[in-house]
Amino acid sequence: MMSGPMLTTYSMWSLFRNCRKACDWRYLHELVPLERDHNLSFGSLIHECLEIWHRDRELKRVLDHIDRACPNQAQDERELRDWHLATAMMKGYAARYPTEEFEVVALEKTFKGKIVNPATGASSRSFVLAGKVDGIVQIGDEFFLLEHKTASQIDADYLERLWTDFQIILYAWYVERTLGLRIAGILYNILVKARLQQGRGETEAEFEERRRRLAAKSKTGKSSAKRKLPESDEAFQERLAAKYAEPGMFHRETLYISRDQFAALQAELWELTQAFLDARRRGVFYRNTAFCFHYHRPCAYFPLCRSGGSPNVIENLYHKVPPHEELRDGGGEPPQANCARRANACCGRHNPPRQAGTGGEPQDCLCGSHIEEAPAF
């Protein structure tokens, strides 16, 4: 028997919408694959780096964080690739944005609020929604959510899809009600992952084979080819630095929010809660097999579904982790450091902000050091 409303996140509702069975494995059985998705791990590292950069604007602290996050780079090829890419990406980012047009209001800000039936205005007794935004920034008199993204490439299709970003618009609605700030839109901060690879050089056998083929094509029957040596870390960083000096490796896109979107998302979220209650009551979380290879690779729970939930598969490939990891603190400095600079927008130790545009009662702390409870709405 559960006590109190169930804590939910966008990630949970998104997964439930895409595949109810995957949602069941993750959020009710609390199972997580032992091997974490590499793309998610790298994205998390860059988010941590951007938090440090936008808080302190000291590149050395960012690079130190990357060093600490990749302690096995000397032995682990994948970790070395991440170190190279993250280091070059953040050096390029710091060079591209030495100053900003916006003022940082909060970073990695968490919130929690009620889920409301838009038809009646009644709050759900079964669920609450929590989340964390990458940042809140102010440009002129307007507030924007700052959303970091890493991408393989940026093209017209990628930018067009930003309009379908259900998560960030939903978060904007909750941030408005939690903090009393009117969110004008979303500032997408997009960093492209360079596809360059460090030259690994040739083994002795590979070199001999290449030289044999070249000699066979030569009229003299000889070849002056030399063995290709591994590219040094310094040389690879120079190539990456040149790549990240190109203008297309970083992009900022600002999207303004329509108030009509809020009402549509509230209605959709409420419908999801009702469908989840029905599935949980009947114990039926059916699979969406169209989602099994949605990202051109098997879903993290594909082995589990294929085995029919085999205990042996669970024991060998999964472990239990409480849900909503995204709400827990990651790396970086305590958010109180941000408080010190935002003395007019912080907790009771400072001067809490007043409701935007009203001059009304002071609102909750913006420092991000704890989850804010949304007022009744």
PDB file of all heavy atoms in Angstrom, residues 144-159:
ATOM      1  N   PHE A 144      13.572  33.159 -19.011  1.00  0.00           N
ATOM      2  CA  PHE A 144      13.572  32.012 -19.925  1.00  0.00           C
ATOM      3  C   PHE A 144      14.127  30.794 -19.194  1.00  0.00           C
ATOM      4  O   PHE A 144      14.995  30.926 -18.322  1.00  0.00           O
ATOM      5  CB  PHE A 144      14.458  32.285 -21.157  1.00  0.00           C
ATOM      6  CG  PHE A 144      13.951  33.369 -22.053  1.00  0.00           C
ATOM      7  CD1 PHE A 144      14.186  34.709 -21.741  1.00  0.00           C
ATOM      8  CD2 PHE A 144      13.231  33.069 -23.202  1.00  0.00           C
ATOM      9  CE1 PHE A 144      13.712  35.720 -22.560  1.00  0.00           C
ATOM     10  CE2 PHE A 144      12.758  34.074 -24.023  1.00  0.00           C
ATOM     11  CZ  PHE A 144      13.000  35.411 -23.707  1.00  0.00           C
ATOM     12  N   LEU A 145      13.633  29.627 -19.574  1.00  0.00           N
ATOM     13  CA  LEU A 145      14.288  28.397 -19.133  1.00  0.00           C
ATOM     14  C   LEU A 145      15.492  28.169 -20.037  1.00  0.00           C
ATOM     15  O   LEU A 145      15.398  28.315 -21.260  1.00  0.00           O
ATOM     16  CB  LEU A 145      13.345  27.201 -19.227  1.00  0.00           C
ATOM     17  CG  LEU A 145      12.122  27.199 -18.306  1.00  0.00           C
ATOM     18  CD1 LEU A 145      11.434  25.836 -18.375  1.00  0.00           C
ATOM     19  CD2 LEU A 145      12.490  27.533 -16.870  1.00  0.00           C
ATOM     20  N   LEU A 146      16.613  27.809 -19.423  1.00  0.00           N
ATOM     21  CA  LEU A 146      17.821  27.475 -20.176  1.00  0.00           C
ATOM     22  C   LEU A 146      17.897  25.960 -20.287  1.00  0.00           C
ATOM     23  O   LEU A 146      17.903  25.262 -19.269  1.00  0.00           O
ATOM     24  CB  LEU A 146      19.056  28.020 -19.453  1.00  0.00           C
ATOM     25  CG  LEU A 146      20.412  27.740 -20.102  1.00  0.00           C
ATOM     26  CD1 LEU A 146      20.521  28.425 -21.456  1.00  0.00           C
ATOM     27  CD2 LEU A 146      21.547  28.196 -19.175  1.00  0.00           C
ATOM     28  N   GLU A 147      17.906  25.463 -21.500  1.00  0.00           N
ATOM     29  CA  GLU A 147      17.884  24.021 -21.737  1.00  0.00           C
ATOM     30  C   GLU A 147      19.121  23.618 -22.536  1.00  0.00           C
ATOM     31  O   GLU A 147      19.291  24.038 -23.686  1.00  0.00           O
ATOM     32  CB  GLU A 147      16.604  23.640 -22.507  1.00  0.00           C
ATOM     33  CG  GLU A 147      16.526  22.196 -22.952  1.00  0.00           C
ATOM     34  CD  GLU A 147      16.234  21.217 -21.823  1.00  0.00           C
ATOM     35  OE1 GLU A 147      16.140  21.662 -20.662  1.00  0.00           O
ATOM     36  OE2 GLU A 147      16.110  20.017 -22.100  1.00  0.00           O
ATOM     37  N   HIS A 148      19.989  22.811 -21.915  1.00  0.00           N
ATOM     38  CA  HIS A 148      21.195  22.361 -22.604  1.00  0.00           C
ATOM     39  C   HIS A 148      20.897  21.079 -23.381  1.00  0.00           C
ATOM     40  O   HIS A 148      20.215  20.178 -22.883  1.00  0.00           O
ATOM     41  CB  HIS A 148      22.316  22.052 -21.600  1.00  0.00           C
ATOM     42  CG  HIS A 148      22.647  23.194 -20.695  1.00  0.00           C
ATOM     43  ND1 HIS A 148      22.900  24.466 -21.150  1.00  0.00           N
ATOM     44  CD2 HIS A 148      22.774  23.247 -19.333  1.00  0.00           C
ATOM     45  CE1 HIS A 148      23.168  25.255 -20.129  1.00  0.00           C
ATOM     46  NE2 HIS A 148      23.086  24.550 -19.022  1.00  0.00           N
ATOM     47  N   LYS A 149      21.459  20.998 -24.571  1.00  0.00           N
ATOM     48  CA  LYS A 149      21.335  19.779 -25.361  1.00  0.00           C
ATOM     49  C   LYS A 149      22.648  19.497 -26.073  1.00  0.00           C
ATOM     50  O   LYS A 149      23.307  20.417 -26.549  1.00  0.00           O
ATOM     51  CB  LYS A 149      20.208  19.918 -26.405  1.00  0.00           C
ATOM     52  CG  LYS A 149      18.806  19.889 -25.796  1.00  0.00           C
ATOM     53  CD  LYS A 149      17.747  19.866 -26.864  1.00  0.00           C
ATOM     54  CE  LYS A 149      16.355  19.724 -26.257  1.00  0.00           C
ATOM     55  NZ  LYS A 149      16.152  18.453 -25.545  1.00  0.00           N
ATOM     56  N   THR A 150      23.021  18.219 -26.130  1.00  0.00           N
ATOM     57  CA  THR A 150      24.128  17.800 -26.979  1.00  0.00           C
ATOM     58  C   THR A 150      23.520  17.056 -28.163  1.00  0.00           C
ATOM     59  O   THR A 150      22.568  16.293 -28.003  1.00  0.00           O
ATOM     60  CB  THR A 150      25.108  16.886 -26.233  1.00  0.00           C
ATOM     61  OG1 THR A 150      24.398  15.763 -25.684  1.00  0.00           O
ATOM     62  CG2 THR A 150      25.803  17.632 -25.105  1.00  0.00           C
ATOM     63  N   ALA A 151      24.073  17.309 -29.338  1.00  0.00           N
ATOM     64  CA  ALA A 151      23.492  16.741 -30.551  1.00  0.00           C
ATOM     65  C   ALA A 151      24.592  16.275 -31.487  1.00  0.00           C
ATOM     66  O   ALA A 151      25.712  16.798 -31.463  1.00  0.00           O
ATOM     67  CB  ALA A 151      22.613  17.774 -31.253  1.00  0.00           C
ATOM     68  N   SER A 152      24.272  15.287 -32.294  1.00  0.00           N
ATOM     69  CA  SER A 152      25.236  14.814 -33.291  1.00  0.00           C
ATOM     70  C   SER A 152      25.367  15.810 -34.429  1.00  0.00           C
ATOM     71  O   SER A 152      26.440  15.953 -35.020  1.00  0.00           O
ATOM     72  CB  SER A 152      24.795  13.450 -33.842  1.00  0.00           C
ATOM     73  OG  SER A 152      24.749  12.489 -32.813  1.00  0.00           O
ATOM     74  N   GLN A 153      24.276  16.490 -34.756  1.00  0.00           N
ATOM     75  CA  GLN A 153      24.308  17.526 -35.769  1.00  0.00           C
ATOM     76  C   GLN A 153      23.092  18.429 -35.572  1.00  0.00           C
ATOM     77  O   GLN A 153      22.108  18.036 -34.946  1.00  0.00           O
ATOM     78  CB  GLN A 153      24.294  16.936 -37.174  1.00  0.00           C
ATOM     79  CG  GLN A 153      23.030  16.160 -37.498  1.00  0.00           C
ATOM     80  CD  GLN A 153      23.039  15.618 -38.923  1.00  0.00           C
ATOM     81  OE1 GLN A 153      24.077  15.596 -39.574  1.00  0.00           O
ATOM     82  NE2 GLN A 153      21.893  15.204 -39.416  1.00  0.00           N
ATOM     83  N   ILE A 154      23.198  19.633 -36.101  1.00  0.00           N
ATOM     84  CA  ILE A 154      22.082  20.572 -36.036  1.00  0.00           C
ATOM     85  C   ILE A 154      21.666  20.897 -37.464  1.00  0.00           C
ATOM     86  O   ILE A 154      22.483  21.373 -38.252  1.00  0.00           O
ATOM     87  CB  ILE A 154      22.483  21.872 -35.315  1.00  0.00           C
ATOM     88  CG1 ILE A 154      22.992  21.571 -33.898  1.00  0.00           C
ATOM     89  CG2 ILE A 154      21.307  22.834 -35.246  1.00  0.00           C
ATOM     90  CD1 ILE A 154      23.559  22.788 -33.197  1.00  0.00           C
ATOM     91  N   ASP A 155      20.429  20.585 -37.773  1.00  0.00           N
ATOM     92  CA  ASP A 155      19.908  20.948 -39.084  1.00  0.00           C
ATOM     93  C   ASP A 155      18.478  21.455 -38.901  1.00  0.00           C
ATOM     94  O   ASP A 155      17.982  21.595 -37.776  1.00  0.00           O
ATOM     95  CB  ASP A 155      19.973  19.755 -40.046  1.00  0.00           C
ATOM     96  CG  ASP A 155      19.288  18.517 -39.488  1.00  0.00           C
ATOM     97  OD1 ASP A 155      18.436  18.669 -38.581  1.00  0.00           O
ATOM     98  OD2 ASP A 155      19.598  17.401 -39.934  1.00  0.00           O
ATOM     99  N   ALA A 156      17.826  21.738 -40.021  1.00  0.00           N
ATOM    100  CA  ALA A 156      16.483  22.309 -39.950  1.00  0.00           C
ATOM    101  C   ALA A 156      15.511  21.352 -39.255  1.00  0.00           C
ATOM    102  O   ALA A 156      14.649  21.784 -38.479  1.00  0.00           O
ATOM    103  CB  ALA A 156      15.991  22.640 -41.359  1.00  0.00           C
ATOM    104  N   ASP A 157      15.647  20.049 -39.509  1.00  0.00           N
ATOM    105  CA  ASP A 157      14.752  19.081 -38.873  1.00  0.00           C
ATOM    106  C   ASP A 157      14.935  19.082 -37.358  1.00  0.00           C
ATOM    107  O   ASP A 157      13.967  18.990 -36.600  1.00  0.00           O
ATOM    108  CB  ASP A 157      15.024  17.679 -39.431  1.00  0.00           C
ATOM    109  CG  ASP A 157      14.513  17.517 -40.851  1.00  0.00           C
ATOM    110  OD1 ASP A 157      13.692  18.353 -41.273  1.00  0.00           O
ATOM    111  OD2 ASP A 157      14.947  16.566 -41.527  1.00  0.00           O
ATOM    112  N   TYR A 158      16.194  19.169 -36.931  1.00  0.00           N
ATOM    113  CA  TYR A 158      16.463  19.161 -35.479  1.00  0.00           C
ATOM    114  C   TYR A 158      15.801  20.373 -34.822  1.00  0.00           C
ATOM    115  O   TYR A 158      15.138  20.255 -33.790  1.00  0.00           O
ATOM    116  CB  TYR A 158      17.974  19.188 -35.236  1.00  0.00           C
ATOM    117  CG  TYR A 158      18.352  19.151 -33.771  1.00  0.00           C
ATOM    118  CD1 TYR A 158      18.565  17.946 -33.124  1.00  0.00           C
ATOM    119  CD2 TYR A 158      18.470  20.333 -33.035  1.00  0.00           C
ATOM    120  CE1 TYR A 158      18.896  17.908 -31.771  1.00  0.00           C
ATOM    121  CE2 TYR A 158      18.788  20.306 -31.686  1.00  0.00           C
ATOM    122  CZ  TYR A 158      19.007  19.094 -31.065  1.00  0.00           C
ATOM    123  OH  TYR A 158      19.315  19.059 -29.728  1.00  0.00           O
ATOM    124  N   LEU A 159      15.997  21.548 -35.413  1.00  0.00           N
ATOM    125  CA  LEU A 159      15.430  22.765 -34.825  1.00  0.00           C
ATOM    126  C   LEU A 159      13.899  22.741 -34.875  1.00  0.00           C
ATOM    127  O   LEU A 159      13.234  23.210 -33.954  1.00  0.00           O
ATOM    128  CB  LEU A 159      15.964  23.986 -35.566  1.00  0.00           C
ATOM    129  CG  LEU A 159      17.488  24.193 -35.451  1.00  0.00           C
ATOM    130  CD1 LEU A 159      17.926  25.394 -36.271  1.00  0.00           C
ATOM    131  CD2 LEU A 159      17.917  24.360 -34.001  1.00  0.00           C
TER     132      LEU A 159
END
